[in-house]
Amino acid sequence: KAGVTQTPRYLIKTRGQQVTLSCSPISGHRSVSWYQQTPGQGLQFLFEYFSETQRNKGNFPGRFSGRQFSNSRSEMNVSTLELGDSALYLCASLGSNTGELFFGEGSRLTVL
Amino acid sequence: TQLLEQSPQFLSIQEGENLTVYCNSSSVFSSLQWYRQEPGEGPVLLVTVVTGGEVKKLKRLTFQFGDARKDSSLHITAAQPGDTGLYLCAGEYNQGGKLIFGQGTELSVKP
């Protein structure tokens, strides 16, 4: 069974630009969550999508948005990038029977 | 604000030593999960504890959930270099993909 796939793995942007990250969950998983990981703040919840609807939302500004498609793939977008947005962005899909989160390897974003 | 305090943040020990990592909150969780993350990878689930007072063992790792479901601990016996990594506790309040993570414990086990 293929794991959670995130693309791209690494990217560099400059302040003011926008970025889109993609996540393909494990086949059959309908819930996708996004987390931001930084050395200072640790892992922080961004949002969760289930069946194309946002089910939970963290405390991030409106520059952070996401969506989910009918095939459960999800994207997150960050607009007007700031230096502080540099982080590892992790996507996780939720095992429907176990409640276990399966994480991808992450997309490492550097904002210059 | 729901917070999980994890301690210690850093731990450097010799192979064969024992260690305990703590995870504390003022909030009650429906469940608490422990993850391990290695460099360049996402966190991987080690265990989920659900019932207050529950103890689970995974080889040399022992996980405990507090009676009031507000705290948890991870104890590693006879640590090995392969145990090196970032250990994360995460609390779940409602079912779904939203977890509140502790800051993590960076463990280094030297041979």
Side-chain angles (χ1 to χ4, degrees):
Chain A
K1 197 180 208 182
V4 177
T5 305
Q6 290 188 246
T7 57
R9 288 291 313 278
Y10 304 92
L11 65 167
I12 300 173
K13 294 284 186 178
T14 57
R15 278 181 300 174
Q17 287 187 311
Q18 71 152 15
V19 66
T20 299
L21 309 177
S22 179
C23 172
S24 293
I26 291 172
S27 178
H29 288 189
R30 292 162 63 191
S31 163
V32 173
S33 301
W34 289 89
Y35 289 81
Q36 181 196 64
Q37 187 174 29
T38 58
Q41 300 295 320
L43 266 152
Q44 292 189 289
F45 174 78
L46 281 156
F47 28 66
E48 181 207 6
Y49 287 87
F50 180 84
S51 293
E52 302 178 66
T53 301
Q54 189 179 82
R55 185 161 72 171
N56 279 300
K57 189 178 186 305
N59 298 321
F60 278 80
R63 300 186 297 108
F64 292 80
S65 63
R67 58 179 176 168
Q68 188 179 33
F69 302 96
S70 58
N71 62 357
S72 293
R73 189 178 71 86
S74 177
E75 288 181 349
M76 68 162 280
N77 183 278
V78 188
S79 62
T80 320
L81 284 166
E82 301 176 0
L83 295 178
D85 296 333
S86 294
L88 180 67
Y89 289 88
L90 289 161
C91 163
S93 69
L94 182 66
S96 37
N97 295 325
T98 64
E100 176 180 353
L101 277 183
F102 295 85
F103 283 88
E105 293 179 317
S107 293
R108 183 163 295 283
L109 169 65
T110 301
V111 182
L112 302 177
Chain B
T1 305
Q2 300 144 343
L3 283 176
L4 261 179
E5 306 268 350
Q6 191 172 339
S7 63
Q9 264 193 283
F10 301 95
L11 199 50
S12 181
I13 61 173
Q14 293 295 130
E15 182 176 2
E17 291 184 11
N18 302 333
L19 67 115
T20 303
V21 178
Y22 299 94
C23 191
N24 296 291
S25 175
S26 57
S27 303
V28 176
F29 300 104
S30 57
S31 73
L32 196 135
Q33 302 176 5
W34 285 91
Y35 290 80
R36 179 164 169 256
Q37 184 177 19
E38 297 193 52
E41 299 182 9
V44 176
L45 181 68
L46 295 173
V47 78
T48 300
V49 285
V50 177
T51 307
E54 183 176 4
V55 177
K56 280 192 175 178
K57 293 196 174 188
L58 192 64
K59 295 183 182 177
R60 293 175 295 98
L61 278 60
T62 302
F63 304 86
Q64 191 157 7
F65 202 14
D67 291 341
R69 305 209 318 271
K70 294 182 180 181
D71 56 271
S72 181
S73 64
L74 156 61
H75 182 80
I76 301 180
T77 305
Q80 298 177 1
D83 295 328
T84 294
L86 178 67
Y87 289 82
L88 296 154
C89 63
E92 180 184 17
Y93 293 92
N94 305 300
Q95 287 194 342
K98 179 179 180 179
L99 296 177
I100 306 298
F101 279 85
Q103 286 288 86
T105 296
E106 192 76 56
L107 171 65
S108 172
V109 182
K110 300 185 187 327

